[in-house]
Amino acid sequence: MERVAPALRTGGQRGPQSGWCVRWATAEEAPVRLFCLPHTGGGAALYRTWAERLAPAVDVVSIRLPGRENRFRETPFHRLEELVDALARAVEPLLDRPYAWFGHSMGALIAYEVSRTLRDRGLRGPGRLLVSGRRAPHLPSRQPRVHDAPAPDLVAHLRELDGTPAEVLDSTAALSLLLPMVRADFAVSETYRWRPRHLLDCPVLVLGGRDDTLTTTGELAGWREHSTAGCEVRTFDGGHFYLHEEAHEQVLSVLAAELPLLGHALTGRQQ
């Protein structure tokens, strides 16, 4: 059953907003928390099985961005800076224990930038950054710009990515709901420009599919330039959506083995 984190009040403003932080399992007292961010067009439900599998050792908080699922009436963000600012404010009350960020594709970029932003604000930083299916943030994109493309071109691109069910792409009604949100997500990635700031001081674990056509092993390895605490790259069988398909159980096994160790090592440490 879906549960949302309680709305708290900080600085006279509401946060975290009930729509941002979703829990699918009871694990609030776990020693470590894992925030999970979706890929383009994805929602919080992607990580339901993760929460159920990792509880009670890990408290999985799935991030639901505006414009999807039960937030579909909200305007989605089109710029990463604005999204990260709002997300950082939403999760601030949940940084009371060691935590990590996980993000796939677009989510990896958001996870990286929100980690930097939280540090800039003097808040507890992540104990680990886990990124998946995304080239290092300083590397230029090899993909076509599609966020402002005509609808047929955008739909064709979604078919090539093979992450959206064909019945959705064949439905005029479904597309009328999907395309505005997907355009916004693509705009978040496509208008992003990396700016050098401080390096992360937490280890980075980079995951990817061996047959992913959107990123190469070398582009994954580029994440090593963004942390002073080391970076490990692991690849799995499958394409861009390997973690939700062929390698689902393998990825969960990696997280189940490593995240509780993070909580044990960092419990009580304020950064």
Side-chain angles (χ1 to χ4, degrees):
M1 180 178 181
E2 173 187 342
R3 297 181 304 112
V4 295
L8 306 177
R9 293 190 177 275
T10 56
Q13 295 185 355
R14 188 184 180 212
Q17 296 178 1
S18 61
W20 284 96
C21 301
V22 179
R23 286 187 173 99
W24 300 100
T26 302
E28 289 94 331
E29 300 307 314
V32 63
R33 183 165 287 141
L34 177 65
F35 296 102
C36 294
L37 285 156
H39 55 75
T40 295
L46 287 168
Y47 299 106
R48 180 168 188 159
T49 58
W50 290 35
E52 294 167 348
R53 168 74 177 275
L54 296 175
V58 179
D59 179 26
V60 174
V61 176
S62 189
I63 301 300
R64 175 172 289 152
L65 302 176
R68 66 214 70 211
E69 296 173 328
N70 66 3
R71 301 187 73 185
F72 73 93
R73 289 190 176 89
E74 299 179 42
T75 302
F77 287 95
H78 291 73
R79 295 295 182 269
L80 185 68
E81 295 83 357
E82 297 171 358
L83 191 164
V84 165
D85 177 67
L87 177 58
R89 285 187 280 109
V91 302
E92 182 176 346
L94 299 179
L95 307 183
D96 59 334
R97 67 197 60 208
Y99 71 92
W101 283 98
F102 175 89
H104 178 65
S105 197
M106 175 189 73
L109 186 60
I110 298 171
Y112 166 71
E113 284 294 346
V114 77
S115 295
R116 297 210 292 175
T117 294
L118 292 171
R119 278 290 188 186
D120 287 349
R121 295 180 182 181
L123 301 170
R124 180 199 289 266
R128 180 162 293 192
L129 174 65
L130 307 134
V131 293
S132 168
R134 175 84 191 192
R135 67 189 180 277
H138 66 285
L139 298 176
S141 174
R142 295 181 289 103
Q143 301 302 310
R145 177 182 170 118
V146 296
H147 78 268
D148 52 1
D153 294 345
L154 179 55
V155 171
H157 185 66
L158 292 174
R159 290 189 193 278
E160 291 175 2
L161 294 178
D162 198 26
T164 306
E167 56 268 27
V168 172
L169 298 179
D170 292 335
S171 168
T172 301
L175 286 177
S176 68
L177 298 174
L178 176 69
L179 290 188
M181 181 261 288
V182 169
R183 284 189 187 279
D185 284 1
F186 277 123
V188 164
S189 294
E190 293 172 3
T191 61
Y192 171 75
R193 296 295 179 268
W194 180 76
R195 294 180 177 85
R197 285 151 62 190
H198 61 272
L199 297 178
L200 297 173
D201 61 0
C202 65
V204 179
L205 177 60
V206 185
L207 310 177
R210 296 187 184 99
D211 300 319
D212 189 350
T213 60
L214 301 187
T215 186
T216 66
T217 302
E219 289 171 329
L220 295 176
W223 283 95
R224 291 174 177 146
E225 299 185 26
H226 295 276
S227 175
T228 62
C231 175
E232 180 183 0
V233 179
R234 299 190 192 183
T235 57
F236 302 84
D237 290 339
H240 188 61
F241 295 103
Y242 72 96
L243 74 167
H244 299 305
E245 297 169 352
E246 294 98 323
H248 180 256
E249 285 301 318
Q250 290 176 280
V251 171
L252 282 177
S253 294
V254 169
L255 298 180
E258 296 202 7
L259 287 172
L261 297 177
L262 172 67
H264 177 74
L266 297 180
T267 296
R269 171 179 153 199
Q270 295 295 325
Q271 305 183 46

